[in-house]
Amino acid sequence: MAISPQVTNLIIILGMMQVSKKIPFEDENVLMGVRGLYILSNLIIAGIYLYIQSKINSKKGTPPRTPLSPPAPMGSAEEPKLVTTTVHSYDLQQLRGLWKAQLMGVGMMCFMHLYMKYTNPLLIQSIIPLKGAFEGNLAKIHLLRQPAIGDLKRPWKAAGGMMGMGGGEIKSDKKSIEDAERAGRGGVKEE
């Protein structure tokens, strides 16, 4: 039985908070070392994402898929729409989301470190995003070469919100697809 990524992230955060209390960030050499570690971590993540992108682009001629779009937010009466896409475009869409999340994290870290002068999060943010890059579905399929079966079968479940709630399941079974086609919702084909 493996420990969930959220639990290991919490353990890492709590452990690194204790370690960061012992690190003398007032020393300019130590601070530059931690900054260098953060930059190196982000360069490694960028390298991973670029490698995954090259692997995705090398498999461009994959067959089309017909997943339904994710369910509407809670309380909305909107029905899921039928979307036909390829594995290539689906993976690129997911990778684009990873890039956006990483850049948002770098932006927040720059604000917290450069403007607000916080140094402790640099150490934590050098480890957690790197761990997340290796635990992502795209990395498991394209980098670690795990087969796309089980939890790795596309389309992937949307990441849950707070405490795992709100992550609706994308329905791609035959009955759901036929129901959406019969209802005439969507039918958009993305290339």
Side-chain angles (χ1 to χ4, degrees):
M1 185 171 136
I3 299 175
S4 75
Q6 292 87 357
V7 172
T8 56
N9 284 351
L10 185 62
I11 291 169
I12 290 171
I13 289 170
L14 293 174
M16 293 312 290
M17 285 173 62
Q18 297 304 314
V19 169
S20 67
K21 289 179 183 178
K22 308 257 189 262
I23 295 175
F25 286 111
E26 301 81 32
D27 183 4
E28 194 64 32
N29 292 329
V30 171
L31 184 58
M32 290 304 277
V34 174
R35 285 177 182 161
L37 180 66
Y38 179 72
I39 291 169
L40 177 66
S41 169
N42 281 289
L43 288 174
I44 291 171
I45 292 170
I48 290 169
Y49 290 168
L50 288 171
Y51 177 77
I52 290 172
Q53 184 174 359
S54 71
K55 291 301 247 182
I56 291 170
N57 287 333
S58 71
K59 299 176 184 175
K60 196 169 188 170
T62 54
R65 312 260 319 157
T66 54
L68 291 179
S69 66
M74 291 176 73
S76 174
E78 188 177 315
E79 293 289 326
K81 297 176 188 166
L82 182 67
V83 177
T84 303
T85 186
T86 63
V87 171
H88 175 262
S89 61
Y90 181 78
D91 284 359
L92 282 179
Q93 176 189 11
Q94 296 298 313
L95 185 62
R96 209 170 295 121
L98 291 174
W99 274 112
K100 285 180 185 177
Q102 186 61 28
L103 291 174
M104 182 67 80
V106 169
M108 290 294 292
M109 195 64 241
C110 287
F111 172 75
M112 288 175 60
H113 180 64
L114 299 175
Y115 183 73
M116 298 179 73
K117 306 292 184 206
Y118 289 137
T119 53
N120 292 3
L122 276 176
L123 198 58
I124 296 167
Q125 290 302 314
S126 297
I127 298 168
I128 298 290
L130 188 61
K131 177 182 167 288
F134 282 107
E135 289 177 341
N137 290 337
L138 284 174
K140 288 178 181 175
I141 291 172
H142 296 289
L143 187 67
L144 304 176
R145 296 191 176 121
Q146 294 180 6
I149 54 175
D151 287 343
L152 294 179
K153 186 177 182 212
R154 297 170 187 92
W156 300 310
K157 291 180 183 177
M162 201 161 109
M163 305 300 284
M165 295 169 49
E169 184 177 344
I170 300 172
K171 296 179 181 174
S172 61
D173 58 288
K174 191 172 183 175
K175 184 183 181 312
S176 297
I177 291 170
E178 287 173 356
D179 289 346
E181 285 173 342
R182 215 173 300 118
R185 296 184 302 262
V188 178
K189 183 170 183 177
E190 296 177 3
E191 293 296 329

